[in-house]
Amino acid sequence: MRLVFTFFFLLFISTFINVNAQTGNGKGKINGRVTDATTKLPVDYATVSLFKQGSASPFNGISTNAKGDFDIENVPAGDYKLTIDFLGYTRSVINHVIVNASGNAALGNILLKPIQNQLNTVNVTAKAPVIENRIDKMVYNAANDLTAQGGVALDVLKKVPQVTVDIDGNVELQGNANIRFLINGKPSSIFGASLADALQSIPASQIKSIEVITSPGAKYDAAGTGGIINIILKDSKVSGINGSVNAAAGTRLENGSLNLNARKGNFGVNAYFSGNAQLKTTGKNINDRSSYDSVGNTTRLLQNGNNTSQRSSYQTGISFNWSITPKDDITASLGFNHFGNHNYGLTSQQETQTAANGSLISQLLSQRNSDSRFSSNSTDWSVNYKKTFKKEGQELDVLYSTSYSKNTVNYSQVQDYLNINSPATGSRGNNPGNDRQTNISVDYTQPVTKNFTLEGGAKAVIENLKNTVNTDSLLADGTYANNADQTYGFNYKRNVYAVYLSTSASLFHNWLDVKAGFRDEYTTTTADFQGVNIPGYNTVAPSATLSHKLTATQTIKLSYNYRIERPDYGEINPFYNISDPHNISTGNPNLKPEISRGVELGYNRSFDGGANIYIGTFYRHNTDDIQSYSTPYALLNINGRDYPNVLLTQRSNIGTQTSIGGNIFASVPVSSKLNLRTNALLVSRTNDNPGIARVTGFGYRVNLNATYQFGHDLTAEAFGNYNSSQKNLQGTRPYFLFYNFAVRKQFLNKKASLGLLAANPFNKYVNMRSNTFGPGFNQINFRQVPVQSFGITLSYKFGKLEFAKDKEKGDKEDNNIPAPEGGR
């Protein structure tokens, strides 16, 4: 299967080269700003499409940004037609846009007129490009992602360039797992307790786009050595009422969502509700560990079992937008998110001890029943005030946001001994906690000249974590008694105060675009852990990005960034997870922040036929690198109780890590019906740790995506992804392959669609084999993870104007048009 996948990847590259071997010599760009003709506010995420004269299909396009601006680059010289579409507005058409070989077409301010009397659903058929490569970020537009339509955020992330998702939902950006996740540009405590669970609680149908920022500027928090991933959820700012309903039912996953948007004049409301569930699935697990003592005795632990898991979540939220004046805007939002999972299973255990000469010392047979439940409820709310000024680009932005989450972990495990006369042993634990995070920020932008802009601001992040650990031990009579030595509580507070200054400039007659700045963050931390004292520290984080257009179709970009990774809730929590007494994990409240310095070089080129290729390389060096480290114990004492033959896993600051890698993304329209995309990531990581030999591991991820338009609004898509194995600090990460197929039929004038999808249809399980080793032990793990799924999806979009009574009354009197029922 891997050879077949590699063959198709090489075939795609050769196809890309052949299809795009010939390119035009013209060059130029088209830019402008899209605003609402009534409110004079910018229209963000409007679809701008560029057509060759006489053609019915666009060959280039882009979405407007938050300021309504667009900039279509790499346009050959010629005469074009340009259209601008957005739900609830009349399409704007510019029939002749002239681009010459030595200049640009500046279209200025383009007004979109809201549709006042049309009661039928408004359909926008133009599409934004799947990938947009901007000076400071890469944007993946998820609206037309067929194979992820019945899934969750993790399924969308698998297709995003430079992002890797493993079979357990762990996410890496350029090979680094320390990522700062945002929702609509704001942090959320939903990510604090369990990142994988949080990303599985967001339906793919709720996601508008995903922004990947590998070299964040000074305006962004310095947290996240891997960079920032910003998940943009769907909303609408059009006049009237519109919305959508999405549902998916399958053999493994189910989800649904409802979005409703309403706006009249300068006031708008957006509301949503969504939910999803993973049905009961059972995986298999075999763990084989050998431990060695100083006299040559060997203890072998063989665990063979299964684990059944299920997951569910729902989210709801509402936001209000009030344009007080054309230059003053207030947005308030309130959201609630719940997710939880339940895992249980039965494991057979065989523990054998042999002497150096091979003779049997002892053998213990047992069965372990385990059960764990996790639940999280989080509430986010924010108020944002934005003021623009007479001078274009000058603006003030004030944001207050707070996020509060309550998390609970419950577990129980009981071991019954099969070949000795001994009562069962076990424990149960309850670990409730909460996390409150408040963000207050002020940002100001001041254009100094046409080509030079200053930006500065300040921010305070106030975080308070509280956690309680309650542990009961199983007694010989079958009852439970509280274990006072393993029952405790702790408080953890962390405040970050930051200021920043950055500049944006075009130098040498627009030959070089520069964005540079620095951010200063002071962190204070208090914890009531016994023997823990964490001093305050200051971090100065510089950043810079240089961008140069080699030609109108080719851009090269160089960036530098300094990042910090502060330990999160799960890494510092000293709670011992003893759901498996032979494999115990705990947090480390003494963790120090990880520091990263990175350099990135990228090259982007577009072709006349609509194809695009991006090639990037990066270097990153981390100090005080935070990694998991496993240590074997023949006997581990935890607060007064002994646990035999234990592998204890804990996060620690372990030396340095250096990553060198590259990324290739390519998209090519082979024909008017067939489009191919590929994305490959290659990373070599070297760990240098005192007392441990240097470890270097190379890994790669490659995926292929094919979309075919059959006509009559029928589209099919296939997607495949392969992650290679990679050597790490204490072993080898397993390789795996997954693939999806989907087909979608649109009907009712594209208001509705019906889709079928299949995930790994020919393999019920993904087989995972990994090994972990260290001084005194070696462990082999084999897992069968259920991933096969078949499903059906439904979607319906609607958009009617129901608020314009006064306007409609005037129209009726002036034009003798009956008042529509939708406005009553």
Side-chain angles (χ1 to χ4, degrees):
M1 181 66 80
R2 282 179 285 170
L3 293 176
V4 173
F5 199 78
T6 303
F7 169 76
F8 279 106
F9 174 72
L10 295 174
L11 179 63
F12 171 85
I13 294 298
S14 64
T15 302
F16 181 90
I17 295 173
N18 290 331
V19 171
N20 298 283
Q22 309 232 344
T23 63
N25 296 320
K27 49 187 177 179
K29 68 177 182 179
I30 302 170
N31 55 39
R33 170 170 290 186
V34 181
T35 58
D36 186 302
T38 303
T39 66
K40 307 304 180 186
L41 294 173
V43 179
D44 59 345
Y45 286 96
T47 301
V48 183
S49 302
L50 192 63
F51 299 77
K52 293 181 179 179
Q53 292 294 348
S55 174
S57 301
F59 81 98
N60 203 345
I62 199 170
S63 297
T64 57
N65 61 20
K67 298 179 181 179
D69 296 329
F70 67 89
D71 193 342
I72 304 177
E73 301 178 345
N74 313 318
V75 180
D79 182 8
Y80 301 96
K81 182 180 77 171
L82 183 137
T83 65
I84 302 173
D85 295 276
F86 199 68
L87 187 65
Y89 289 89
T90 301
R91 166 181 280 196
S92 178
V93 179
I94 303 176
N95 287 312
H96 293 283
V97 178
I98 307 299
V99 179
N100 56 49
S102 59
N104 307 321
L107 303 182
N109 196 31
I110 303 170
L111 300 179
L112 279 190
K113 296 181 180 180
I115 300 173
Q116 300 294 339
N117 295 306
Q118 181 175 326
L119 295 183
N120 293 327
T121 300
V122 181
N123 297 309
V124 179
T125 57
K127 296 180 182 179
V130 175
I131 301 293
E132 297 180 48
N133 190 15
R134 302 176 184 174
I135 186 172
D136 60 345
K137 70 185 71 172
M138 185 172 288
V139 181
Y140 179 81
N141 294 304
N144 294 297
D145 190 335
L146 296 191
T147 54
Q149 61 187 322
V152 294
L154 284 174
D155 298 302
V156 180
L157 283 168
K158 292 171 183 177
K159 296 190 174 184
V160 177
Q162 307 183 79
V163 176
T164 302
V165 181
D166 72 12
I167 203 68
D168 296 313
N170 300 306
V171 183
E172 292 184 345
L173 179 55
Q174 291 185 341
N176 191 319
N178 297 324
I179 305 167
R180 173 75 162 172
F181 275 88
L182 305 174
I183 295 180
N184 293 333
K186 295 184 283 290
S188 174
S189 60
I190 183 181
F191 297 120
S194 173
L195 178 61
D197 279 323
L199 292 173
Q200 290 182 90
S201 74
I202 304 173
S205 59
Q206 284 290 103
I207 299 174
K208 176 190 292 183
S209 62
I210 293 180
E211 298 177 346
V212 173
I213 309 169
T214 54
S215 295
K219 183 176 181 178
Y220 295 96
D221 292 346
T225 54
I228 295 172
I229 292 179
N230 185 22
I231 300 174
I232 306 296
L233 303 181
K234 293 178 179 178
D235 65 357
S236 177
K237 295 182 179 179
V238 302
S239 298
I241 294 179
N242 62 85
S244 63
V245 179
N246 298 275
T251 57
R252 190 171 63 91
L253 297 174
E254 295 179 342
N255 66 57
S257 65
L258 169 66
N259 293 270
L260 183 63
N261 311 292
R263 188 172 189 89
K264 179 182 180 182
N266 61 353
F267 186 78
V269 180
N270 297 282
Y272 70 90
F273 180 87
S274 63
N276 69 78
Q278 175 191 290
L279 307 181
K280 286 185 179 180
T281 56
T282 299
K284 302 176 183 179
N285 184 76
I286 298 175
N287 198 58
D288 189 352
R289 183 171 77 232
S290 296
S291 305
Y292 315 96
D293 62 20
S294 58
V295 297
N297 296 330
T298 299
T299 300
R300 183 187 181 191
L301 174 67
L302 180 62
Q303 297 174 301
N304 188 344
N306 57 69
N307 182 73
T308 300
S309 64
Q310 60 184 121
R311 170 184 53 80
S312 64
S313 67
Y314 62 87
Q315 309 80 36
T316 185
I318 188 169
S319 65
F320 304 90
N321 177 259
W322 181 26
S323 302
I324 306 171
T325 73
K327 297 186 179 299
D328 297 273
D329 193 87
I330 289 181
T331 301
S333 64
L334 174 66
F336 178 80
N337 188 301
H338 163 81
F339 61 83
N341 61 48
H342 181 204
N343 298 276
Y344 58 92
L346 176 66
T347 301
S348 298
Q349 302 179 134
Q350 177 180 319
E351 191 173 353
T352 305
Q353 188 176 25
T354 56
N357 61 6
S359 61
L360 180 67
I361 298 176
S362 65
Q363 185 177 64
L364 181 64
L365 303 179
S366 63
Q367 282 189 334
R368 176 172 53 85
N369 279 280
S370 61
D371 189 288
S372 66
R373 294 176 184 267
F374 172 76
S375 176
S376 176
N377 296 289
S378 64
T379 302
D380 302 320
W381 67 273
S382 66
V383 178
N384 179 231
Y385 168 73
K386 179 175 289 187
K387 180 175 181 61
T388 58
F389 299 85
K390 185 176 181 180
K391 189 170 187 178
E392 183 177 354
Q394 182 184 4
E395 64 181 42
L396 174 68
D397 203 325
V398 182
L399 173 65
Y400 177 91
S401 67
T402 187
S403 182
Y404 177 76
S405 67
K406 296 181 66 175
N407 312 301
T408 302
V409 178
N410 293 289
Y411 83 89
S412 67
Q413 62 84 21
V414 176
Q415 289 194 144
D416 294 298
Y417 300 98
L418 305 180
N419 65 333
I420 62 173
N421 186 18
S422 175
T425 60
S427 63
R428 66 185 184 188
N430 173 256
N431 179 210
N434 60 66
D435 179 6
R436 180 183 293 277
Q437 185 180 129
T438 299
N439 293 259
I440 306 171
S441 63
V442 178
D443 301 287
Y444 178 72
T445 303
Q446 176 64 57
V448 179
T449 68
K450 182 180 179 180
N451 295 322
F452 182 75
T453 300
L454 282 174
E455 188 173 10
K459 184 175 183 178
V461 180
I462 302 168
E463 187 171 15
N464 188 359
L465 304 174
K466 295 182 179 181
N467 193 276
T468 302
V469 178
N470 301 297
T471 305
D472 298 332
S473 297
L474 179 64
L475 304 181
D477 62 2
T479 62
Y480 285 88
N482 180 257
N483 186 333
D485 293 327
Q486 297 184 44
T487 299
Y488 52 90
F490 74 88
N491 296 319
Y492 185 93
K493 297 180 180 180
R494 181 167 61 201
N495 298 336
V496 181
Y497 307 97
V499 294
Y500 76 93
L501 180 67
S502 68
T503 62
S504 300
S506 294
L507 306 177
F508 313 117
H509 302 288
N510 298 321
W511 185 82
L512 183 68
D513 292 325
V514 179
K515 193 168 187 176
F518 75 92
R519 186 179 185 90
D520 187 278
E521 295 185 346
Y522 184 75
T523 305
T524 64
T525 307
T526 58
D528 61 3
F529 310 138
Q530 185 176 359
V532 174
N533 180 30
I534 306 174
Y537 54 92
N538 192 69
T539 304
V540 178
S543 61
T545 299
L546 307 177
S547 179
H548 168 61
K549 292 186 188 331
L550 299 173
T551 69
T553 61
Q554 301 178 81
T555 303
I556 190 169
K557 180 171 66 176
L558 176 68
S559 60
Y560 167 83
N561 66 85
Y562 180 104
R563 308 287 294 167
I564 182 172
E565 178 65 21
R566 300 180 182 90
D568 64 21
Y569 174 86
E571 293 172 325
I572 62 175
N573 187 348
F575 171 69
Y576 283 90
N577 183 344
I578 318 178
S579 57
D580 178 356
H582 290 292
N583 295 278
I584 299 175
S585 61
T586 184
N588 181 2
N590 290 302
L591 281 175
K592 297 183 292 184
E594 174 183 298
I595 302 298
S596 173
R597 298 167 179 84
V599 178
E600 187 175 348
L601 178 65
Y603 167 79
N604 187 78
R605 180 170 184 177
S606 297
F607 297 84
D608 287 355
N612 181 272
I613 186 170
Y614 172 82
I615 302 174
T617 184
F618 59 88
Y619 168 87
R620 184 184 301 109
H621 181 73
N622 297 348
T623 55
D624 286 326
D625 194 56
I626 299 176
Q627 292 195 49
S628 293
Y629 193 80
S630 298
T631 306
Y633 288 86
L635 195 68
L636 177 65
N637 183 276
I638 300 177
N639 298 322
R641 177 170 179 177
D642 292 332
Y643 293 88
N645 192 13
V646 173
L647 190 66
L648 178 67
T649 301
Q650 188 176 38
R651 300 280 276 176
S652 303
N653 295 106
I654 304 177
T656 65
Q657 183 183 88
T658 302
S659 300
I660 300 175
N663 178 254
I664 300 174
F665 168 80
S667 175
V668 52
V670 178
S671 68
S672 61
K673 295 182 178 295
L674 177 63
N675 184 274
L676 299 179
R677 296 198 312 271
T678 188
N679 178 32
L681 176 69
L682 305 91
V683 182
S684 176
R685 288 190 292 214
T686 299
N687 293 281
D688 285 297
N689 312 284
I692 305 175
R694 169 182 283 196
V695 178
T696 298
F698 174 77
Y700 63 93
R701 192 278 316 257
V702 59
N703 65 41
L704 295 171
N705 193 97
T707 304
Y708 191 84
Q709 301 280 350
F710 287 96
H712 303 291
D713 299 326
L714 180 64
T715 306
E717 185 171 284
F719 174 72
N721 185 92
Y722 175 76
N723 281 35
S724 75
S725 62
Q726 184 173 26
K727 189 177 180 180
N728 54 35
L729 185 65
Q730 282 189 286
T732 302
R733 183 180 70 183
Y735 72 86
F736 66 93
L737 169 71
F738 65 83
Y739 50 94
N740 298 336
F741 301 98
V743 61
R744 181 181 67 183
K745 169 66 176 178
Q746 293 178 304
F747 51 95
L748 295 180
N749 196 25
K750 294 188 177 181
K751 292 185 295 184
S753 69
L754 174 67
L756 301 174
L757 54 87
N760 278 50
F762 308 114
N763 303 87
K764 185 176 181 180
Y765 298 99
V766 168
N767 295 323
M768 311 273 293
R769 180 184 174 89
S770 62
N771 71 300
T772 306
F773 52 82
F777 82 99
N778 183 70
Q779 177 173 277
I780 297 175
N781 180 262
F782 177 76
R783 290 195 301 153
Q784 289 187 305
V785 182
V787 293
Q788 187 182 73
S789 179
F790 301 91
I792 182 172
T793 66
L794 295 168
S795 69
Y796 179 73
K797 300 177 183 179
F798 56 91
K800 291 185 178 181
L801 306 182
E802 300 183 350
F803 283 130
K805 287 186 178 179
D806 295 336
K807 173 66 178 176
E808 291 160 358
K809 180 178 179 182
D811 289 340
K812 183 179 73 169
E813 293 173 350
D814 294 339
N815 302 309
N816 198 28
I817 299 174
E821 294 180 1
R824 300 186 189 279

